[in-house]
Amino acid sequence: MKLELKKNILLFECCRLIKGKGRTLLVDFQRRKLEFLDNEIFEILENMSREYSVKEILNLYSTGIQEIILEYFEFLIENEYAFQCSKEEISLFPKMDLTWDNPAEITNCIIDLEEYPAKVDAYRKIISDLEILGCENLQIRNFKGISIEIISSFLQLFNGTIITRIEILTPKTYDINEYVILMNKFVRVSVLILHSAEEDSESVVSSSQKILTTKQPISSANYCGLVNPGYFNLRQEHYLESLNFNTCLNRKIGIDKLGNIKNCPSMKAVYGNIQDTSILDVVKQPEFRKLWHVKKDDIKVCKDCEFRHICTDCRAFLESDTSIEKPYKCTYNPYEMVCE
């Protein structure tokens, strides 16, 4: 499609720009694609494209810069990241509402499971409370190995509940077929991650279930907090949450292997124990909710990173004890645009 100088150029609303210190990241959330742009293009697309036509924008720059801008505009149009319209038509394409909300008070929970039989009544109470809080997503983590029978008996507690998506992390101690049988029995288990395995592999159990095996030994909750491109989240919902909240801890609750209630099982702060404390009471505490509001735009270094709104955050392992430090396990330097 030929670029029309008299018209304006607008990004499709599913394409969002994240400006870093050295460059801008374009994220196409519909097609799960990433592109890098110059920061000058960010300023044009964010602050000028709705007010000025392509020709009017070009007139603000010298000849050499004009050529670069035209190349970018043609690239965006050709790859369907942007489209053109007249000034009169701009009102037909309102900007996206960037607010985020969810009807659930808690959207996800992590339980580190090791001594299940001793806490069965407490876990029943947790599941009941999670339903009241509207939680639909659960991760069960085990590091040293428990039997499939214990996992199976624990999963039975969720039958008939609103918790519809369960992810399990556990060592590979059985033949893969045993785990397939487990997932066929409990269809709400969407992902089963088997660590300390002989090889890295992926097996599809059904259209909504898969088994991942990794040779990586995961021996404790200290493994949590890795930050790398493999964990980037290219869902628009994640992006909107990141603009408004902390994407790691917002509306999350965790239970460590001792039954301690935390924001995440890998964190230090404890708000009670499942044997004598209701998670309904914990969730009401302002101190428990405090970290929900630590946005990436408030965190040192992260606020200058072009990947910040698609990145998973980690408040468990930081470079210092303050809550606004970058994740300790992130090696990316946004000022040099390299991993250190």
Side-chain angles (χ1 to χ4, degrees):
M1 181 182 295
K2 186 178 179 180
L3 193 66
E4 298 183 51
L5 299 182
K6 293 183 179 180
K7 289 189 174 183
N8 292 52
I9 182 169
L10 303 180
L11 286 177
F12 287 104
E13 285 298 298
C14 63
C15 297
R16 311 304 301 179
L17 300 177
I18 308 173
K19 183 184 178 183
K21 193 67 175 180
R23 59 185 174 182
T24 289
L25 183 70
L26 184 153
V27 188
D28 182 337
F29 289 105
Q30 183 168 313
R31 294 180 294 182
R32 306 291 197 269
K33 293 177 65 177
L34 305 176
E35 301 284 358
F36 294 110
L37 310 176
D38 288 341
N39 280 345
E40 187 65 44
I41 298 300
F42 172 90
E43 299 298 337
I44 292 172
L45 294 173
E46 284 290 303
N47 303 318
M48 300 168 62
S49 65
R50 284 181 170 266
E51 183 176 354
Y52 300 109
S53 68
V54 171
K55 184 177 181 179
E56 290 169 334
I57 290 173
L58 293 175
N59 288 338
L60 298 173
Y61 294 89
S62 63
T63 303
I65 301 299
Q66 287 180 3
E67 293 177 0
I68 296 173
I69 294 172
L70 279 173
E71 287 181 9
Y72 267 114
F73 283 177
E74 289 169 354
F75 168 81
L76 293 171
I77 295 293
E78 181 180 345
N79 288 275
E80 298 181 325
Y81 296 125
F83 64 98
Q84 289 196 272
C85 65
S86 66
K87 277 187 170 61
E88 294 73 26
E89 293 173 322
I90 289 179
S91 61
L92 301 174
F93 305 100
K95 288 187 175 182
M96 178 191 296
D97 182 356
L98 298 180
T99 58
W100 181 92
D101 199 4
N102 191 295
E105 287 189 72
I106 293 293
T107 58
N108 58 100
C109 174
I110 299 178
I111 297 177
D112 285 352
L113 185 67
E114 285 194 7
E115 300 175 0
Y116 160 69
K119 302 187 181 78
V120 59
D121 290 334
Y123 283 127
R124 285 197 179 99
K125 179 64 167 62
I126 287 173
I127 294 168
S128 175
D129 289 348
L130 288 175
E131 285 212 272
I132 294 172
L133 294 168
C135 181
E136 297 181 348
N137 303 286
L138 172 71
Q139 183 182 52
I140 302 168
R141 305 192 308 189
N142 173 256
F143 305 109
K144 296 183 178 179
I146 53 177
S147 69
I148 280 188
E149 289 74 24
I150 288 180
I151 296 175
S152 180
S153 61
F154 187 65
L155 289 173
Q156 287 178 5
L157 299 177
F158 297 92
N159 289 340
T161 70
I162 67 169
I163 299 174
T164 53
R165 188 180 187 278
I166 299 176
E167 179 180 298
I168 300 176
L169 172 73
T170 189
K172 184 180 181 300
T173 54
Y174 296 87
D175 182 81
I176 197 72
N177 291 325
E178 295 293 322
Y179 295 107
V180 171
I181 293 172
L182 177 74
M183 295 188 77
N184 285 334
K185 183 177 180 181
F186 298 100
V187 294
R188 67 187 66 216
V189 178
S190 57
V191 181
L192 178 59
I193 304 172
L194 304 175
H195 62 83
S196 309
E198 303 86 2
E199 60 180 2
D200 298 330
S201 67
E202 178 175 338
S203 303
V204 176
V205 178
S206 71
S207 60
S208 59
Q209 295 177 296
K210 63 182 178 181
I211 298 175
L212 305 175
T213 66
T214 174
K215 293 185 289 185
Q216 177 70 47
I218 304 176
S219 59
S220 73
N222 290 333
Y223 181 81
C224 185
L226 294 179
V227 178
N228 64 51
Y231 296 110
F232 284 168
N233 191 326
L234 300 185
R235 292 187 302 113
Q236 189 165 281
E237 181 183 4
H238 177 94
Y239 167 81
L240 293 175
E241 186 175 13
S242 181
L243 292 177
N244 297 277
F245 297 96
N246 183 271
T247 51
C248 179
L249 298 179
N250 182 42
R251 306 204 191 187
K252 174 190 285 184
I253 196 164
I255 315 295
D256 73 9
K257 64 180 181 180
L258 300 177
N260 294 319
I261 304 170
K262 303 179 177 182
N263 290 104
C264 168
S266 300
M267 301 187 77
K268 295 178 182 179
V270 175
Y271 299 92
N273 190 280
I274 60 173
Q275 301 286 18
D276 53 27
T277 305
S278 168
I279 63 174
L280 295 178
D281 294 330
V282 170
V283 168
K284 295 176 184 177
Q285 298 179 28
E287 190 64 24
F288 178 80
R289 293 176 175 243
K290 184 177 180 180
L291 291 176
W292 293 7
H293 303 279
V294 181
K295 304 186 296 293
K296 279 297 184 67
D297 288 331
D298 301 327
I299 298 171
K300 293 179 180 178
V301 182
C302 292
K303 64 183 180 181
D304 294 321
C305 179
E306 66 269 28
F307 299 109
R308 64 189 179 277
H309 292 310
I310 61 171
C311 179
T312 55
D313 191 22
C314 177
R315 299 292 89 201
F317 305 102
L318 306 176
E319 292 194 337
S320 73
D321 290 334
T322 65
S323 63
I324 58 170
E325 295 293 323
K326 69 172 285 189
Y328 177 74
K329 298 182 182 181
C330 176
T331 63
Y332 183 68
N333 182 336
Y335 308 106
E336 302 292 334
M337 295 175 285
V338 295
C339 288
E340 299 176 332

